[in-house]
Amino acid sequence: MDLNGKTALVTGAAGGIGAALVTRLRAEGIRVAVADRDVSGLEAEAYLAGDLCNAAYADALPRAAADQLGGLDIIVNNAGVITRGAVTETSDDDWSLSLGVNVEAPFRICRAAIPIMANNGGGAIVNTASCWGLRPGPDHALYCMTKAAIASLTQCMGMDHAYQGIRINAVCPNEVNTPMLRSGFAKRGFDPDSAVKELGHTVPLGRIAEPEDIVDVIMFLISDASRYVCGTLVEVNGGKPVS
Ligand code: NAD
């Protein structure tokens, strides 16, 4: 890949997909700024711990990453939260948290990053949406809505900022074997290992995704191999429809 020496900011860097992504980016010679509530277990070139619901923190992240890394070529807005349930089971706190992390924070980060990237001749941003944002799934109304919002924002930004040499795309996984999915099983009283195995039988490829399956697609979207891909939503689902 053509990525050696580039600089990247990753949110949700301590999570399942985030940690695998940080490892891979660094293996490709990219200097990485990690953002999450707790980044103490990660190896990186810059550490930017904080809460993405804090608007001032989200607004300041791109500048902080650029200053500490000496540039900002790549952003992966990967942090996310999931709320289960129908609208009638959704609290005001659920609403604020889901909108705050899944939509408002990437909006703030992109808004602050685009002028920085444009000034440096361009860059690549990958937002993390979900298959569940492209088509509705049962019992996750708020989650689906936030992922639809970030998918739409990605398509719009991809169009609006292409002229500045900035390619903005989204990756849209279906189920991935990460703490987000596993803790949901545990909360409902299922053994996560057996539940993940069972869920694999519902996927045409025979298993749910591992974080690395998503990371490979993100690597494509940030690399020059995708130089003509812009404002696109890439589904990574093993052939499984939303159901
Ligand atoms: P994860 O829970 O393992 O990681 C998410 C990370 O985001 C965590 O490290 C968490 O601390 C961080 N985060 C959450 N709220 C934050 C806040 N307020 N401030 C700072 N950091 C915060 O989940 P994951 O599965 O690795 O998810 C990564 C992305 O992939 C998310 O956007 C998620 O919605 C999306 N996704 C996941 C799946 C799946 O099945 N796991 C499917 C589709 C899309």
Side-chain angles (χ1 to χ4, degrees), residues 6-188:
K6 301 257 188 209
T7 47
L9 166 65
V10 178
T11 71
I17 296 171
L21 176 64
V22 170
T23 302
R24 178 69 185 281
L25 291 170
R26 297 183 75 240
E28 298 286 346
I30 299 172
R31 294 162 47 70
V32 182
V34 287
D36 208 309
R37 277 177 300 221
D38 178 3
V39 293
S40 57
L42 296 168
E43 281 186 44
E45 281 62 47
Y47 297 90
L48 301 168
D51 182 351
L52 285 170
C53 292
N54 175 339
Y57 166 72
D59 285 341
L61 267 179
R63 173 46 60 202
D67 286 350
Q68 292 194 34
L69 298 174
L72 186 59
D73 303 303
I74 295 157
I75 294 182
V76 184
N77 279 308
N78 160 76
V81 291
I82 192 161
T83 306
R84 201 183 162 80
V87 158
T88 44
E89 295 149 31
T90 300
S91 68
D92 286 3
D93 285 349
D94 292 335
W95 173 270
S96 308
L97 180 67
S98 291
L99 266 291
V101 177
N102 295 358
V103 184
E104 186 173 338
F107 153 73
R108 289 183 177 282
I109 290 169
C110 288
R111 185 177 62 178
I114 286 165
I116 297 172
M117 289 179 159
N119 225 17
N120 294 337
I125 299 177
V126 178
N127 296 321
T128 307
S130 168
C131 293
W132 287 56
L134 308 186
R135 280 171 300 281
D139 244 355
H140 290 81
L142 189 55
Y143 183 71
C144 292
M145 181 270 278
T146 61
K147 291 301 185 179
I150 190 61
S152 174
L153 197 62
T154 300
Q155 290 174 307
C156 296
M157 292 189 299
M159 261 184 243
D160 290 344
H161 299 287
Y163 81 97
Q164 290 163 299
I166 304 171
R167 294 185 305 101
I168 307 177
N169 293 289
V171 66
C172 305
N174 204 326
E175 290 118 349
V176 191
N177 187 11
T178 70
M180 177 180 278
L181 187 90
R182 298 175 68 88
S183 62
F185 283 133
K187 231 184 262 172
R188 286 180 286 142

Side-chain angles (χ1 to χ4, degrees), residues 173-178 181 196 203 207-214 236-238:
N174 204 326
E175 290 118 349
V176 191
N177 187 11
T178 70
L181 187 90
V196 161
V203 183
R207 61 175 180 83
I208 68 165
E210 292 299 323
E212 289 72 16
D213 297 317
I214 311 306
V236 192
N237 60 13

